[in-house]
Amino acid sequence: MNTSDDRTSSARLLARMRQRAGSSVPESPMRRREAGEPAPLSFAQQRLWFLNQFAPDSAEYILPFPLRVTGPLDLPALERALTALVERHEVLRTRLVVDAEGDPEQLVDDPWTVSVPVVDLTGVAGAELRESMGRDAIEKEIGKPFDLAGGPLLRALLVRLGAGDSLLLL
């Protein structure tokens, strides 16, 4: 049986279960939604939303991804690549909002253009000082919480340390 047949038979099974149980079987959060149509939170999103409600100024749930980039870096190409990722992956455009009854739900926004702020330390004398200042800039960015309801839920920062030496944080 192919994937299309699997999805069709799964959808039929879910429809039969709903019919037998009335409205007590929740709709699958996995079905594709129209733009701007809310969906229930996954269990992981529920945990994230709860942690954010419990400690809104905390950045403990953030998963930083710092990279050292050596060699020439084309900033416009990096921004286009990150924008393409945002266009392709709904999870990068998803916000966690509260409905009129106070229940959390997820909304997937339209794609947006990613701009990468740059901290240029190339004029700072001393490689060790530049490295220290660069790491401080990265740590400061990591410590900023996200606005789960306002978005976006992806940030980038580029720290230029020298010609062909940068730190990139996603």
Side-chain angles (χ1 to χ4, degrees):
M1 189 182 288
N2 68 31
T3 306
S4 178
D5 291 339
D6 290 342
R7 275 188 249 133
T8 303
S9 63
S10 295
R12 284 189 199 128
L13 176 62
L14 186 58
R16 283 195 307 272
M17 289 172 59
R18 272 198 207 107
Q19 197 172 37
R20 283 187 207 136
S23 63
S24 65
V25 176
E27 185 176 321
S28 170
M30 298 305 292
R31 88 167 168 83
R32 183 160 296 281
R33 308 258 175 201
E34 295 297 321
E37 183 183 356
L41 299 185
S42 69
F43 291 118
Q45 288 171 320
Q46 288 175 19
R47 284 191 307 268
L48 176 62
W49 183 82
F50 174 78
L51 289 173
N52 184 256
Q53 296 302 301
F54 186 70
D57 295 329
S58 174
E60 292 296 319
Y61 57 85
I62 294 176
L63 300 172
F65 188 68
L67 312 165
R68 179 162 230 123
V69 181
T70 56
L73 183 101
D74 182 348
L75 183 60
L78 173 64
E79 291 175 330
R80 286 191 306 273
L82 292 174
T83 297
L85 280 174
V86 167
E87 288 173 0
R88 184 174 177 93
H89 298 284
E90 289 181 346
V91 70
L92 297 175
R93 303 188 318 261
T94 301
R95 294 179 295 121
L96 308 183
V97 298
V98 177
D99 67 13
E101 289 81 37
D103 296 322
E105 58 190 11
Q106 59 176 305
L107 284 177
V108 177
D109 291 329
D110 291 330
W112 45 273
T113 301
V114 177
S115 63
V116 179
V118 177
V119 175
D120 190 352
L121 300 176
T122 57
V124 175
E128 286 182 24
L129 181 57
R130 283 193 306 272
E131 187 77 28
S132 175
M133 291 174 71
R135 291 189 186 281
D136 288 346
I138 296 286
E139 289 297 323
K140 183 179 176 186
E141 187 68 23
I142 289 172
K144 292 179 186 176
F146 281 93
D147 177 0
L148 298 182
L153 302 184
L154 170 72
R155 287 194 305 251
L157 177 69
L158 181 69
V159 179
R160 290 196 191 268
L161 300 173
D165 189 18
S166 301
L167 301 173
L168 175 63
L169 174 67
L170 300 174

